[in-house]
Amino acid sequence: MPRPKNIISIEQLLFSQGFGTRKRCRVLVIEGLVQINGETVNDSSLTIDVSDESAWPLTFSVNGEAWEYHAKAYLMLNKPAGYECSQKAKSHPSVYTLLPSPLRLRDVQSVGRLDQDTTGLLLFSDDGQFIHQMASPKHHVPKVYEITTSSPISDQQIRRLLDGVVLDDSPTPVRALACERTAPSHLKMTLAQGKYHQVKRMLSAVDNHVAALHRSQIGNLVLPSNLGTGEWRFLTVTELLAASSRQ
Ligand code: URA
């Protein structure tokens, strides 16, 4: 079925992508700072069909910086250690400082949180429904963590993680969906829940300790090896589907 048309002005396009107030967006165009598909536009009321798949990806540039139009933003960040996931971070810089200002102005939010010392795959979006679905405990999107433990991990500890351990906030045991020792002090563990400090608390519950923690996968979406620490990028449509997959 053909997509319904979505025809918007250049001013609306810039506004929707986080380039400031409508007035600011108009001024950007008047000053000749906006190019669409390689052509400078001077009239902010010019319209464009953003639903026209034959023109995708719709690219534009502002002040010489290239952008792709995204009706909703879905992105991944390779989170470095030493960054907090809250907007108003207290003791470390916020992960939001790693995103460019148009995305911050679009009010993208992280999908769940990682501790400041945890590294790896973190998703962001301005699609409230997606965030809710991904973060909802009912949805059970599995997440894979690479864990370096402070002491070598024993077979018995792996068995306990798979059988289930009781944490201090609930009598119901939580268990790993999968747990594989990849080196004497290195575990690859898959969890379906997203409880506060869950990995660290589970390892403490089996009398070990997390020395380093990295999230490498959400659903079927694996953190790409070419996304450097601290770098972000938009998800492709395939990656978006993979991220919400329950495998
Ligand atoms: N579990 C933790 O303990 N910390 C994280 O950052 C993520 C999962």
Side-chain angles (χ1 to χ4, degrees), residues 31-98:
E31 290 183 345
L33 298 173
V34 179
Q35 293 194 323
I36 303 233
N37 290 331
E39 302 261 330
T40 301
V41 284
N42 302 104
D43 180 356
S44 65
S45 64
L46 267 182
T47 56
I48 185 158
D49 181 0
V50 290
S51 57
D52 178 4
E53 288 183 35
S54 66
W56 284 359
L58 171 57
T59 56
F60 62 99
S61 74
V62 178
N63 244 329
E65 193 175 347
W67 290 90
E68 263 179 30
Y69 171 83
H70 290 267
K72 290 281 179 203
Y74 304 94
L75 30 137
M76 61 166 113
L77 170 78
N78 184 354
K79 181 191 173 294
Y83 283 79
E84 289 181 22
C85 284
S86 60
Q87 300 262 12
K88 289 190 185 137
K90 293 196 186 95
S91 30
H92 297 86
S94 161
V95 285
Y96 291 90
T97 62
L98 298 167

Side-chain angles (χ1 to χ4, degrees), residues 113-115 118 145 195 197-201 213:
R113 291 182 175 203
L114 292 174
D115 298 336
T118 303
Y145 294 91
K195 285 174 172 277
H197 289 332
Q198 186 170 340
V199 174
K200 291 175 184 166
R201 291 196 295 152
L213 182 56

Side-chain angles (χ1 to χ4, degrees), residues 184-203:
S185 297
H186 193 273
L187 269 187
K188 188 171 174 173
M189 183 159 87
T190 308
L191 296 180
Q193 316 84 354
K195 285 174 172 277
Y196 181 66
H197 289 332
Q198 186 170 340
V199 174
K200 291 175 184 166
R201 291 196 295 152
M202 285 179 76
L203 266 293

Side-chain angles (χ1 to χ4, degrees), residues 164-241:
V165 292
V166 174
L167 303 179
D168 49 13
D169 58 352
S170 162
T172 312
V174 282
R175 48 195 188 84
L177 286 183
C179 192
E180 180 195 350
R181 185 175 39 219
T182 49
S185 297
H186 193 273
L187 269 187
K188 188 171 174 173
M189 183 159 87
T190 308
L191 296 180
Q193 316 84 354
K195 285 174 172 277
Y196 181 66
H197 289 332
Q198 186 170 340
V199 174
K200 291 175 184 166
R201 291 196 295 152
M202 285 179 76
L203 266 293
S204 296
V206 299
D207 307 310
N208 208 316
H209 182 78
V210 173
L213 182 56
H214 177 82
R215 184 158 69 191
S216 55
Q217 190 170 337
I218 297 176
N220 282 332
L221 175 66
V222 177
L223 179 67
S225 58
N226 61 1
L227 189 69
T229 307
E231 288 180 357
W232 71 274
R233 71 163 168 76
F234 287 109
L235 297 185
T236 63
V237 175
T238 316
E239 286 171 339
L240 180 59
L241 292 174

